[in-house]
Amino acid sequence: MDNMIFHSTHLTISNPRKRISLDPEFSSLVTDSENRNFSEQNVTESRKHILECHMKTSRSRLGVLLEHVDFLAEREKIEPKQLLALALELVSNISYDRDTSDMCREIIDKGSFSGVLNKVQISKCAYILDRLEIGASKYTNLKRILKGDVKLPSYKLVSQYRREISLINEMEIVRDPEALSIGTCVSYHSILSLTIQRLLSTLDPVPDSHYPLKIKISDGLDGSGCHQTYNQQSNNSALSTKTFILFGFKVISITDTLGNDVFYNSSPNSPFCFRPVALIALKEDYSSVKLIMNTIVNPQTDHIIQDGLSLIGGHAQVEIVRSLFDTKMAGLLDGAGGASCHLCTATDSQIKSLEWAHSGFPINRLISDARQLFEEVDEEDYLKLPSNQRVGITHQPTSNIDIIAACPLHAYLCVFRWFMLLIYHLDAGHKVWAPSNSKVNFSMKRVRAILQERCNFSVDIPSSQGGTSTTGNIARDCFLNKRDFLTWATSSINPSDKISLEKIQTNLSVLLRLLNSGDLINCDKMQELCKETYEFILIEYPWASITPSLHKLLAHSFQLIGAYNNGKGLQNLSEECLESCNKFVRRYRENLARKTSFTDNVRDILVRLLCCSDPILVQNRLMHAKKKRDVANSLQEILYNSILSDDL
């Protein structure tokens, strides 16, 4: 915290007690004591040099700059607001924060150099507050430094605005059966109405004749662990704050009565499109999920589906698709904890059957059927029923609507895990599926070391925070065979198996990218590829296990795309936006939330998440196009359109 250093060949800002070295051209601009205002041309030239810096920065360094900016400005004979704006722009461009950089450029061009007093909107200040992740003191310093050229509203006004858009006055404490506080929540109906109303305010007005609108949203919940534990005041001494469950939703689309798209979410995987509803400090188990669903979610879900929303312009009907969860949570929602698949009632032997793989597996698992079973039979007597009647159901479903257990993001991780286990078995020459076998373990360590050395891929290395080092990006790169992944991973495998593995890798890569895309897909051709891959695996490696995630990809992905998503990839139903919020919960809990009590801490986290995902505040964020990846010809044939999605 004592040092703040921007290393580059042109600019170094360090501790105020130490020497400050600047680029000669930049120094000549800022040390003119007679005329301390930059010209717009000089600022543009200086910015070209500053933007050449390449380094990583942390949030704390911005605070140190704010503390020492007066001293640095006096030393270099530059106005504090100019130094701050240039430094902010430097930090923003290094961290690829183009929106904040654009704000700083606007401050420089229109404020510091034109002499015109610019009043910044409260919504933009609230966005700056959340995007820079600063608190009251740092915001006040920023306001004081920019005084005279750019007028920022007071922190009190910005804070009041943030309270209004986060519905903090309507937040309630969630209590367990013993009336002890375990988290906080906001009304599902209220936050959905506010979200749609503010979202429509950013779009062109919708004529009254086009009402009622049809709104499609996706909701779900996910648990996260390894959170920091603080000695906070709470009336629940047994409460553990290491694990949290987050529930929320995202808006997929809004259409009018004519079928025209009023709004379509172009970035459904962004964490800033996810709107949180509840944050609960509980473990991800059946009792916790049942408590959350029965007290917070299910009653309001029924109300929203039946009555819709009353907006300023008219009425709106809401369709809820429950798809934001992982495979573990799917078993807790539909009650099929012992099932081989959460979409069909096939058994383990049927999943391994070549005849069944050829004929297909229909999606026939419904929550309504499971609920009917528990209405006919008591829960205590249910487990006594034959297995063919229970079809893998171990407890009563907690969700009141059918779930779409697609899990596109986790499909990458789980299918890649299966593919690596297949490589380990073939490398060890062990033709029996036994991941814990000593030969397989030895091959796993050897292949893992080769990939680390040759490809710089950390695969299947246990993590101290739980799980392994395998991430979604590593799985994507390996399926794309970057850095000759398959060549090194199969260096000790016989040539015939190498050819088979190469075909499996290519097919799985195509199917996974189709599943996670947002493009229109030819489901018939995709079905042919799924069936071909399924049968090839069963014929070539009959001893290999067919995991639930692999079965779901090969047997149901084309069905989900065709029947449940209008022929488009499941990008808009992906759980990635919810998973991405877990890191923000950890960050806000540690740095930007009060530690005075557990209730204050959780409430501050929820307010931050709601502000970051507010439609008007998110409008300030610039969306940048990603570089399109090269895609195999087989993938292009399956897509109807020639323009591929950014995520492919």
Side-chain angles (χ1 to χ4, degrees), residues 183-227:
T184 186
C185 71
V186 67
S187 170
Y188 194 175
H189 185 276
S190 299
I191 197 64
L192 178 58
S193 300
L194 178 67
T195 301
I196 300 301
Q197 200 66 62
R198 292 179 67 83
L199 184 59
L200 292 176
S201 66
T202 64
L203 307 173
D204 296 333
V206 180
D208 295 340
S209 59
H210 290 189
Y211 281 87
L213 300 177
K214 295 181 180 180
I215 303 171
K216 184 178 181 180
I217 67 173
S218 176
D219 69 1
L221 66 166
D222 180 56
S224 59
C226 300
H227 291 267

Side-chain angles (χ1 to χ4, degrees), residues 521-562:
I521 296 173
N522 188 327
C523 295
D524 294 334
K525 290 186 178 181
M526 186 177 180
Q527 182 179 3
E528 294 176 4
L529 183 61
C530 287
K531 186 180 297 185
E532 175 189 344
T533 308
Y534 206 149
E535 295 177 355
F536 181 81
I537 293 174
L538 292 177
I539 294 173
E540 290 292 321
Y541 306 108
W543 48 268
S545 173
I546 302 296
T547 60
S549 297
L550 180 63
H551 164 76
K552 191 187 306 180
L553 174 67
L554 300 178
H556 301 299
S557 58
F558 58 90
Q559 297 174 348
L560 293 172
I561 291 173

Side-chain angles (χ1 to χ4, degrees), residues 599-642:
T599 303
D600 293 340
N601 185 262
V602 178
R603 182 177 296 169
D604 289 348
I605 298 172
L606 196 60
V607 169
R608 282 274 179 180
L609 292 174
L610 286 169
C611 289
C612 288
S613 59
D614 181 78
I616 294 181
L617 269 60
V618 171
Q619 194 179 22
N620 293 313
R621 181 180 303 276
L622 299 179
M623 298 298 179
H624 310 290
K626 300 179 182 179
K627 293 183 179 180
K628 297 184 183 296
R629 302 177 180 177
D630 295 333
V631 186
N633 294 330
S634 55
L635 178 58
Q636 297 181 4
E637 294 175 358
I638 295 178
L639 294 173
Y640 276 123
N641 51 333
S642 59

Side-chain angles (χ1 to χ4, degrees), residues 432-529:
V432 177
W433 194 263
S436 60
N437 182 269
S438 58
K439 292 183 179 180
V440 176
N441 286 333
F442 178 80
S443 295
M444 178 184 66
K445 295 178 181 179
R446 195 181 64 83
V447 173
R448 193 168 62 188
I450 293 176
L451 293 177
Q452 179 68 43
E453 179 182 358
R454 299 293 185 177
C455 306
N456 197 23
F457 284 147
S458 299
V459 178
D460 291 340
I461 298 177
S463 174
S464 59
Q465 296 184 350
T468 65
S469 60
T470 305
T471 63
N473 291 330
I474 290 179
R476 291 185 182 98
D477 291 344
C478 291
F479 273 124
L480 290 173
N481 202 25
K482 289 188 176 181
R483 307 174 195 173
D484 294 330
F485 156 76
L486 193 61
T487 302
W488 295 109
T490 61
S491 57
S492 300
I493 298 177
N494 62 70
S496 60
D497 286 331
K498 284 185 179 181
I499 297 175
S500 299
L501 288 174
E502 183 178 355
K503 179 178 180 179
I504 294 174
Q505 180 202 35
T506 302
N507 290 358
L508 291 180
S509 176
V510 170
L511 293 174
L512 286 169
R513 282 180 283 168
L514 286 172
L515 184 68
N516 285 270
S517 74
D519 293 287
L520 192 63
I521 296 173
N522 188 327
C523 295
D524 294 334
K525 290 186 178 181
M526 186 177 180
Q527 182 179 3
E528 294 176 4
L529 183 61

Side-chain angles (χ1 to χ4, degrees), residues 68 71 121 137 177 179 212 357 367 386 425 435 438-439 477-478 560 564:
H68 301 311
F71 182 89
Q121 296 179 353
S137 60
I367 287 184
H425 281 77
S438 58
K439 292 183 179 180
D477 291 344
C478 291
L560 293 172
Y564 293 91

